[in-house]
Amino acid sequence: IAEAAAVALRGGPPYDVEYRVVRPSGDVRIIYSRGEVAWDESGRPRRMFGMIQDITELRRAEDELRASEARFRTFVDHATDAFFLHDDQLTVLDVNRQACDSLGYSREELIGRHPRDFDVNLDEAAIERLAQRVGAGETVTFETRHRRKDGTVFEVEIRSHQFKQGKQSLRYALVRDITERKRAEQRLVAQHSITRILA
C-alpha cells in the first residue's frame, strides 16, 4: 500500500490495491483501496483522497462459486453419459469428457458445432419437431444414431430439456450409448423367433 501510494505521489497512476488485514481478534479481512492525488498549479501534490472497502464477503462468495463450479465440472466430466449444452439454435456451448470420448472429438472441436454434424438421423423436419416440444417445456427422450469422427455409427438414446439462465434459453442433452442394449434386444427377438418356429 505504501509503495502504491508513493508511486501515486511521484506522479504515477492512482493506486488501486487489494490487501489483507488481521484484526486483534485474529479475524482476517480483505480490503480494497483506491486513491488519487490532487495536484496544485505548480505540480506539487496537494492532497490524497480515496476510499477503502471491506470486500471479504465478496471474495468468499467468489471462492465458493469457483469451488462449486469446479465440483460441478468434475461431476459432469465423470458422468457415464455424454452431456451437451446447447443454445436456443442448438449450437453446442459445452460438453463433458464422455461426449468427447464417444464421438472422438476434442472439446474445442465440438463447441460451436450443431447436432446435425454428428447425428445421422437428424434432418431439418426432425429438428423443428424436437425444438417445438422442448421449447414447450417438455423433456424429450428419443433414439437416434451418432457418427464418430472416424465415420463409425452407433445407437444412442437422448434425453433433452430446456431451461432458463437469466434471459437466455439453454438446452441440455444427456446422450447414452445403447449399442449393447440394441444388440441384446435383437438377440432376444431372434431367440423368440426361433422358439416360435420350433414350437
Side-chain angles (χ1 to χ4, degrees):
I1 299 164
E3 183 181 342
V7 169
L9 284 167
R10 291 195 299 267
Y15 70 85
D16 190 332
V17 292
E18 191 173 306
Y19 54 94
R20 297 185 316 143
V21 296
V22 182
R23 291 178 172 170
S25 65
D27 184 32
V28 177
R29 307 301 291 178
I30 301 171
I31 305 299
Y32 170 71
S33 181
R34 178 177 174 81
E36 297 186 22
V37 176
W39 307 89
D40 63 20
E41 293 79 10
S42 64
R44 289 181 305 187
R46 189 162 49 105
R47 70 172 183 237
M48 181 179 284
F49 58 95
M51 53 81 72
I52 295 175
Q53 181 180 9
D54 184 336
I55 59 169
T56 307
E57 298 309 317
L58 172 65
R59 290 292 177 256
R60 285 180 182 161
E62 290 173 347
D63 289 344
E64 288 172 10
L65 179 61
R66 277 192 293 272
S68 174
E69 288 173 346
R71 284 193 300 271
F72 177 74
R73 184 84 236 176
T74 300
F75 169 74
V76 168
D77 269 345
H78 288 85
T80 55
D81 289 343
F83 172 85
F84 293 81
L85 180 66
H86 304 273
D87 65 12
D88 57 359
Q89 301 300 310
L90 293 183
T91 302
V92 176
L93 301 177
D94 203 358
V95 294
N96 68 349
R97 187 178 304 158
Q98 183 60 36
C100 299
D101 291 346
S102 65
L103 290 172
Y105 291 98
S106 69
R107 181 171 176 265
E108 291 72 23
E109 288 175 315
L110 284 173
I111 290 175
R113 288 183 177 264
H114 191 279
R116 73 170 73 87
D117 295 335
F118 49 82
D119 193 312
V120 175
N121 297 344
L122 201 60
D123 57 23
E124 294 307 316
I127 291 171
E128 183 60 31
R129 285 194 303 273
L130 290 169
Q132 287 177 359
R133 291 175 63 191
V134 173
E138 184 179 347
T139 299
V140 178
T141 303
F142 61 98
E143 293 180 6
T144 184
R145 294 182 303 150
H146 277 181
R147 182 185 295 108
R148 296 184 181 93
K149 188 176 182 179
D150 66 10
T152 58
V153 174
F154 61 105
E155 304 273 348
V156 295
E157 179 184 80
I158 299 178
R159 185 175 177 84
S160 183
H161 186 74
Q162 180 172 290
F163 65 98
K164 289 274 191 185
Q165 187 174 48
K167 294 182 179 180
Q168 188 177 17
S169 291
L170 300 173
R171 297 174 186 187
Y172 71 80
L174 296 175
V175 182
R176 178 168 295 178
D177 185 336
I178 58 171
T179 305
E180 288 307 314
R181 187 176 87 191
K182 286 295 186 181
R183 286 176 182 160
E185 288 173 359
Q186 290 168 0
R187 284 194 296 270
L188 281 173
V189 168
Q191 287 172 355
H192 183 67
S193 298
I194 291 170
T195 304
R196 287 177 59 197
I197 292 170
L198 294 175

